[in-house]
Coordinates of all heavy atoms in Angstrom, one line a residue:
Chain A
P46 N 2.8 -11.4 -6.2 CA 1.5 -12.1 -6.2 C 1.1 -12.7 -4.9 O 1.9 -13.3 -4.2 CB 1.8 -13.3 -7.2 CG 2.9 -12.7 -8.1 CD 3.7 -11.9 -7.2
S47 N -0.2 -12.4 -4.5 CA -0.8 -12.9 -3.3 C -0.1 -12.5 -2.0 O -0.2 -13.1 -1.0 CB -0.8 -14.5 -3.3 OG -1.6 -15.0 -4.4
Q48 N 0.5 -11.3 -2.1 CA 1.1 -10.7 -0.9 C 0.7 -9.3 -0.7 O 0.1 -8.7 -1.6 CB 2.7 -10.8 -1.0 CG 3.2 -12.2 -1.0 CD 4.7 -12.2 -0.9 OE1 5.3 -11.3 -0.3 NE2 5.4 -13.3 -1.4
G49 N 1.0 -8.8 0.5 CA 0.7 -7.3 0.7 C 1.8 -6.5 0.1 O 2.9 -7.0 -0.2
P50 N 1.5 -5.2 -0.2 CA 2.6 -4.4 -0.8 C 3.8 -4.2 0.2 O 3.6 -4.4 1.4 CB 1.8 -3.0 -0.9 CG 0.4 -3.3 -0.9 CD 0.2 -4.5 0.0
E51 N 4.9 -4.0 -0.4 CA 6.1 -3.8 0.4 C 6.8 -2.6 -0.1 O 6.8 -2.3 -1.3 CB 7.1 -5.0 0.3 CG 7.7 -5.3 -1.0 CD 8.7 -6.4 -0.9 OE1 9.2 -6.8 0.2 OE2 9.1 -7.0 -2.0
Y52 N 7.4 -1.9 0.8 CA 8.1 -0.6 0.5 C 9.3 -0.9 -0.4 O 10.1 -1.9 -0.1 CB 8.5 0.1 1.8 CG 9.5 1.2 1.7 CD1 9.0 2.5 1.4 CD2 10.8 1.0 1.9 CE1 9.9 3.5 1.3 CE2 11.7 2.0 1.9 CZ 11.3 3.3 1.5 OH 12.1 4.3 1.4
V53 N 9.6 0.0 -1.3 CA 10.8 -0.1 -2.1 C 11.7 1.0 -1.9 O 12.9 0.8 -1.5 CB 10.4 -0.2 -3.7 CG1 11.7 -0.3 -4.5 CG2 9.6 -1.4 -4.0
I54 N 11.2 2.2 -2.1 CA 12.1 3.4 -1.9 C 11.2 4.7 -1.9 O 10.1 4.6 -2.3 CB 13.1 3.4 -3.1 CG1 14.3 4.3 -2.9 CG2 12.4 3.9 -4.4 CD1 15.5 4.1 -3.9
H55 N 11.8 5.8 -1.4 CA 11.1 7.0 -1.5 C 12.1 8.2 -1.6 O 13.2 8.0 -1.2 CB 10.1 7.2 -0.4 CG 10.7 7.6 0.9 ND1 11.3 6.7 1.8 CD2 10.9 8.9 1.5 CE1 11.7 7.4 2.8 NE2 11.5 8.7 2.7
G56 N 11.6 9.3 -2.1 CA 12.4 10.5 -2.2 C 11.6 11.8 -2.3 O 10.4 11.7 -2.5
L57 N 12.2 12.9 -2.1 CA 11.6 14.2 -2.2 C 12.0 15.0 -3.4 O 11.2 15.3 -4.2 CB 11.8 15.0 -0.9 CG 11.0 16.3 -0.7 CD1 9.5 16.1 -0.8 CD2 11.4 17.0 0.6
T58 N 13.3 15.3 -3.4 CA 13.8 16.0 -4.5 C 15.1 15.4 -5.2 O 15.2 15.4 -6.4 CB 14.2 17.5 -4.1 OG1 15.2 17.3 -3.0 CG2 13.0 18.2 -3.6
S59 N 15.9 14.8 -4.4 CA 17.2 14.3 -4.9 C 17.0 12.8 -5.2 O 16.1 12.1 -4.7 CB 18.3 14.4 -3.8 OG 18.4 15.7 -3.5
N60 N 17.9 12.3 -6.1 CA 17.9 10.9 -6.4 C 18.3 10.1 -5.2 O 19.0 10.6 -4.4 CB 18.9 10.6 -7.6 CG 18.4 11.3 -8.9 OD1 17.2 11.7 -9.0 ND2 19.3 11.4 -9.8
V61 N 17.8 8.9 -5.1 CA 18.0 8.0 -3.9 C 18.4 6.7 -4.4 O 17.9 6.1 -5.4 CB 16.7 8.0 -3.1 CG1 16.9 7.2 -1.8 CG2 16.1 9.3 -2.8
N62 N 19.2 6.1 -3.6 CA 19.6 4.7 -3.8 C 19.5 3.9 -2.5 O 19.7 4.4 -1.4 CB 21.1 4.6 -4.2 CG 21.4 5.4 -5.5 OD1 20.8 5.0 -6.5 ND2 22.2 6.4 -5.4
N63 N 19.0 2.6 -2.6 CA 19.1 1.7 -1.5 C 19.4 0.3 -2.1 O 19.7 0.2 -3.3 CB 17.8 1.7 -0.7 CG 16.6 1.2 -1.4 OD1 16.7 0.5 -2.4 ND2 15.4 1.6 -0.9
R64 N 19.3 -0.7 -1.2 CA 19.8 -2.0 -1.7 C 18.9 -2.6 -2.7 O 19.2 -3.5 -3.4 CB 19.9 -2.9 -0.4 CG 18.6 -3.2 0.3 CD 18.8 -4.2 1.4 NE 17.5 -4.5 2.0 CZ 16.5 -5.3 1.5 NH1 16.8 -5.9 0.4 NH2 15.4 -5.5 2.2
M65 N 17.6 -2.1 -2.7 CA 16.6 -2.7 -3.6 C 16.7 -2.0 -5.0 O 16.5 -2.7 -6.0 CB 15.2 -2.6 -3.1 CG 15.0 -3.5 -1.9 SD 13.3 -3.4 -1.3 CE 12.4 -4.2 -2.7
A66 N 16.8 -0.7 -5.0 CA 16.6 0.0 -6.3 C 17.2 1.4 -6.2 O 17.7 1.8 -5.1 CB 15.1 0.1 -6.5
S67 N 17.0 2.2 -7.3 CA 17.3 3.6 -7.3 C 16.1 4.4 -7.7 O 15.3 3.8 -8.5 CB 18.5 3.9 -8.3 OG 19.7 3.2 -7.8
L68 N 16.0 5.6 -7.3 CA 14.9 6.4 -7.7 C 15.5 7.7 -8.3 O 16.3 8.4 -7.6 CB 14.0 6.8 -6.4 CG 12.9 7.8 -6.7 CD1 11.9 7.3 -7.7 CD2 12.2 8.1 -5.3
A69 N 15.1 7.9 -9.5 CA 15.6 9.1 -10.2 C 14.4 10.1 -10.3 O 13.3 9.7 -10.9 CB 16.1 8.8 -11.6
I70 N 14.6 11.3 -9.8 CA 13.5 12.3 -9.8 C 13.9 13.4 -10.7 O 15.0 14.0 -10.7 CB 13.3 12.8 -8.4 CG1 12.9 11.7 -7.4 CG2 12.2 13.9 -8.3 CD1 12.9 12.1 -6.0
A71 N 12.9 13.8 -11.6 CA 13.2 14.8 -12.6 C 13.4 16.2 -11.8 O 12.9 16.3 -10.7 CB 12.0 15.0 -13.6
E72 N 14.1 17.1 -12.5 CA 14.4 18.3 -11.8 C 13.1 19.1 -11.5 O 13.1 19.8 -10.4 CB 15.3 19.2 -12.8 CG 15.9 20.3 -12.1 CD 17.0 21.0 -12.9 OE1 17.6 20.3 -13.8 OE2 17.3 22.1 -12.7
D73 N 12.1 19.0 -12.3 CA 10.8 19.7 -12.0 C 9.9 18.9 -11.2 O 8.8 19.3 -10.8 CB 10.1 20.2 -13.3 CG 9.7 19.0 -14.2 OD1 9.9 17.8 -13.7 OD2 9.2 19.2 -15.3
R74 N 10.3 17.7 -10.8 CA 9.6 16.7 -10.0 C 8.3 16.3 -10.6 O 7.5 15.6 -9.9 CB 9.3 17.3 -8.6 CG 10.6 17.7 -7.8 CD 10.5 17.6 -6.3 NE 9.2 18.0 -5.8 CZ 8.5 17.3 -4.9 NH1 8.9 16.1 -4.6 NH2 7.4 17.7 -4.4
K75 N 8.0 16.5 -11.8 CA 6.8 16.1 -12.4 C 6.8 14.6 -12.9 O 5.8 14.1 -13.4 CB 6.4 17.0 -13.5 CG 6.0 18.4 -13.0 CD 5.5 19.3 -14.1 CE 5.1 20.7 -13.5 NZ 4.6 21.6 -14.6
S76 N 8.0 14.0 -12.8 CA 8.1 12.6 -13.2 C 9.2 12.0 -12.4 O 10.1 12.7 -11.9 CB 8.3 12.4 -14.7 OG 9.6 13.0 -15.0
S77 N 9.2 10.7 -12.3 CA 10.2 9.9 -11.6 C 10.4 8.6 -12.3 O 9.5 8.1 -13.0 CB 10.0 9.8 -10.1 OG 8.8 9.1 -9.9
T78 N 11.5 7.9 -12.0 CA 11.8 6.6 -12.6 C 12.4 5.7 -11.5 O 13.3 6.1 -10.8 CB 12.8 6.7 -13.8 OG1 12.2 7.6 -14.8 CG2 13.0 5.3 -14.4
L79 N 11.8 4.6 -11.3 CA 12.3 3.5 -10.5 C 13.2 2.7 -11.3 O 12.8 2.2 -12.4 CB 11.2 2.7 -9.8 CG 11.7 1.6 -8.9 CD1 12.3 2.1 -7.7 CD2 10.6 0.6 -8.6
I80 N 14.4 2.5 -10.8 CA 15.4 1.7 -11.5 C 15.8 0.4 -10.8 O 16.3 0.5 -9.6 CB 16.7 2.5 -11.8 CG1 16.3 3.8 -12.6 CG2 17.7 1.7 -12.6 CD1 17.4 4.8 -12.6

Side-chain angles (χ1 to χ4, degrees):
Chain A
S47 300
Q48 294 189 27
E51 65 173 344
Y52 168 81
V53 178
I54 200 166
H55 77 277
L57 185 60
T58 57
S59 303
N60 295 343
V61 183
N62 299 298
N63 66 21
R64 63 175 182 82
M65 290 182 70
S67 295
L68 175 60
I70 301 173
E72 195 168 334
D73 63 5
R74 302 213 318 130
K75 294 185 177 181
S76 66
S77 61
T78 302
L79 178 70
I80 303 165

